Amino acid sequence: EPAADTFQAALAYNSQQPAAWFGLAQSYRQAGRIDDEIWAWQQAISLDPSMAAAFQNLGNAYMLQQRTEEAVDAYRRGVVQDPANTGLRYNLAAALAKMDLHKQAVTEFLEVIRRDPSDARSYNGAAISYYYLQDYQAAKLYAEKAAQLGFNVQKQLLELK
């Protein structure tokens, strides 16, 4: 793991640089060392709590370990730092949906769509969450829009009455 060695050497020189922790976390991800990656993201955030990307990557690492509640917390903290980050908001919405918090998920999917009307995956996510909320009209509407944008939508969503 030469990349991790390089970042560890940089940290030995100056452990107060969030960018070095960021690089170390990414090298741990590439090496499949998710526990170490989580630790490194936490170190980066402790030095610069305004790094939305660090919160997003921390959430992604938690999701790899099926630690969805912790991922949601990380994503929410990242959204506070960068409300316009649609990738971060999408990840938050998807994690909320995974926790069956579909009302909250819809809110986030719709915010992504408001900021990026071409985000087909958010239309699809909203359709699925609306389906679970038993709002079949909205589910079909958002599924149709996702399909129009080229997303491979579940057939049953497009056939709703």
Side-chain angles (χ1 to χ4, degrees):
E1 298 167 21
D5 293 340
T6 300
F7 287 110
Q8 286 172 340
L11 286 167
Y13 176 72
N14 184 355
S15 64
Q16 299 303 306
Q17 288 296 320
W21 288 103
F22 200 100
L24 181 62
Q26 290 178 322
S27 66
Y28 284 147
R29 164 69 62 91
Q30 292 171 349
R33 295 172 54 184
I34 306 306
D35 287 331
D36 292 327
E37 176 192 358
I38 288 170
W39 172 77
W41 288 127
Q42 291 168 336
Q43 299 309 308
I45 290 165
S46 73
L47 294 171
D48 184 357
S50 69
M51 290 177 51
F55 284 111
Q56 183 170 2
N57 285 302
L58 176 61
N60 293 346
Y62 282 137
M63 290 299 289
L64 288 173
Q65 292 188 332
Q66 306 300 314
R67 294 164 62 181
T68 310
E69 288 181 26
E70 290 164 288
V72 164
D73 180 62
Y75 294 143
R76 281 187 170 141
R77 292 173 63 198
V79 166
V80 168
Q81 298 306 318
D82 185 3
N85 185 326
T86 56
L88 182 53
R89 279 193 183 274
Y90 174 83
N91 288 355
L92 172 58
L96 289 165
K98 184 172 181 169
M99 293 175 63
D100 291 327
L101 298 172
H102 293 289
K103 284 184 182 180
Q104 292 176 47
V106 163
T107 298
E108 294 301 330
F109 285 129
L110 295 182
E111 183 60 22
V112 173
I113 292 165
R114 185 183 75 77
R115 293 174 181 274
D116 181 4
S118 68
D119 192 321
R121 64 188 181 157
S122 290
Y123 284 97
N124 186 66
I128 292 168
S129 284
Y130 275 127
Y131 178 84
Y132 283 110
L133 292 169
Q134 298 181 343
D135 184 343
Y136 302 125
Q137 184 177 4
K140 184 175 183 177
L141 176 74
Y142 282 91
E144 288 171 345
K145 183 62 177 177
Q148 289 170 5
L149 291 169
F151 198 87
N152 187 16
V153 177
Q154 294 174 6
K155 186 177 176 183
Q156 73 184 50
L157 291 173
L158 296 170
E159 295 174 348
L160 289 169
K161 302 279 184 214

